[in-house]
Amino acid sequence: MTELFGIPLPALLGQLLLGLVNGSFYAMLSLGLAVIFGMLNIINFAHGALYMMGAFLAWMGMDLLGLNYWVMLGLAPLLVGALGIVIERTMLQWLYKLDHLYGLLLTFGITLVIEGVFRSFYGVSGQPYSVPEQLQGATNLGFMILPNYRAWVVVASLVVCFAVWALIEKTSLGAKLRAGTENPKLVQAFGINVPAMVTLTYAGGVALAAFAGVLAAPILQVSALMGSNLIIVVFAVVVIGGMGSILGSIVTGLGLGLIEGLTKVFYPEASNTVVFVVMAIVLLVRPAGLFGKEK
């Protein structure tokens, strides 16, 4: 059997694949956080809870309504995005001119409420969600066995992440969004509804979290704590990439997922802390993050 650094090649590639899958979730969640912080200047601690809600909505759609995975992949983000509109209009809009701490505390409170509701109904034990029939099984690549669903997660995440990046950075709509956050009065003078753009930006950011939750449902046990177990790592990814950096969140999320996967091969004891070690090193060398802009 072929070995690399004394590790069987299939085992090494398998861990890299798991790292890439985790990195895909990190990239999508940190992308949503970066969009919200970059456009709204809000640290959205509720992101993990809304990711969990997306997974639960997929499970409830299957278990209670008989809706399949593909329907919920589109419906769950829309429902969570609608909730995001309610949250932004009723609570967050009053905090934009205040210190970041107020937004952090409010969204932390929203997290506790959402998690508390789901824990009261479903407890903390995980709910199973089956892989859709079209993506079951695996493909033999010769040097490793590639599970079809995990390949789909990576491809879907990359497509969505880079589509969002292109929308914000390369289109006129993205230019209006950026201008609306930097000088809203001037943009409104041109007849553009800036409050509506801000609301839809928050809704789009949390919809990304819900989309990631639906993707994660067949891989992880759907539970009320799945978001809180992930959100701290995702915040670390955003800090490393640079707060508000869209491309930084994508690249850093994928890269840290791979680093985490390699760490599980060579030094498993450090796999849960390697992201935070990288964060400490990056902040010492570049406080604004790898892709952030120094003020």
Side-chain angles (χ1 to χ4, degrees):
M1 181 178 293
T2 304
E3 293 187 355
L4 190 63
F5 304 115
I7 306 293
L9 186 59
L12 180 60
L13 292 175
Q15 283 299 327
L16 283 175
L17 174 63
L18 289 176
L20 190 57
V21 171
N22 288 336
S24 299
F25 293 132
Y26 296 161
M28 192 170 298
L29 288 168
S30 62
L31 172 62
L33 280 175
V35 168
I36 291 170
F37 182 80
M39 302 296 174
L40 280 67
N41 215 27
I42 290 288
I43 300 174
N44 186 40
F45 203 87
H47 218 64
L50 296 168
Y51 157 80
M52 175 270 293
M53 182 178 287
F56 254 111
L57 287 174
W59 176 80
M60 288 188 288
M62 179 190 71
D63 190 65
L64 302 178
L65 303 176
L67 300 177
N68 65 32
Y69 169 87
W70 302 105
V71 173
M72 294 312 300
L73 192 61
L75 183 59
L78 290 176
L79 293 175
V80 174
L83 176 62
I85 291 175
V86 174
I87 292 173
E88 195 279 335
R89 285 287 84 195
T90 58
M91 290 177 275
L92 290 181
Q93 67 164 325
W94 312 109
L95 304 181
Y96 295 144
K97 295 181 180 180
L98 301 180
D99 189 88
H100 292 149
L101 181 61
Y102 291 94
L104 177 63
L105 291 174
L106 174 62
T107 54
F108 179 66
I110 293 171
T111 296
L112 295 179
V113 171
I114 294 174
E115 286 187 355
V117 168
F118 280 93
R119 287 179 68 177
S120 66
F121 281 99
Y122 301 105
V124 295
S125 59
Q127 307 291 340
Y129 191 97
S130 59
V131 173
E133 184 178 351
Q134 299 91 330
L135 297 174
Q136 290 178 1
T139 301
N140 189 345
L141 300 179
F143 54 90
M144 69 173 292
I145 303 298
L146 177 65
N148 294 334
Y149 187 77
R150 282 172 168 76
W152 154 251
V153 167
V154 174
V155 171
S157 299
L158 289 175
V159 169
V160 170
C161 285
F162 284 104
V164 172
W165 171 78
L167 176 67
I168 294 175
E169 298 292 341
K170 302 296 182 182
T171 66
S172 60
L173 175 60
K176 291 175 183 176
L177 286 173
R178 297 194 304 275
T181 56
E182 293 174 7
N183 195 334
K185 291 184 179 180
L186 179 62
V187 175
Q188 279 185 305
F190 286 94
I192 297 172
N193 190 338
V194 174
M197 283 201 313
V198 169
T199 301
L200 291 177
T201 298
Y202 184 78
V206 299
L208 283 173
F211 186 84
V214 179
L215 288 178
I219 296 177
L220 308 174
Q221 288 283 313
V222 179
S223 74
L225 300 180
M226 62 186 294
S228 59
N229 294 337
L230 192 61
I231 190 63
I232 300 301
V233 176
V234 173
F235 267 108
V237 171
V238 174
V239 171
I240 294 169
M243 293 294 288
S245 172
I246 307 299
L247 185 60
S249 296
I250 299 171
V251 174
T252 305
L254 294 170
L256 288 175
L258 291 173
I259 291 173
E260 192 178 66
L262 284 173
T263 305
K264 289 179 180 178
V265 176
F266 295 104
Y267 191 47
E269 295 84 354
S271 61
N272 292 327
T273 58
V274 65
V275 171
F276 303 104
V277 173
V278 173
M279 180 180 72
I281 295 171
V282 169
L283 291 180
L284 285 172
V285 177
R286 188 174 171 81
L290 295 176
F291 294 82
K293 296 180 180 178
E294 299 281 358
K295 291 186 178 181

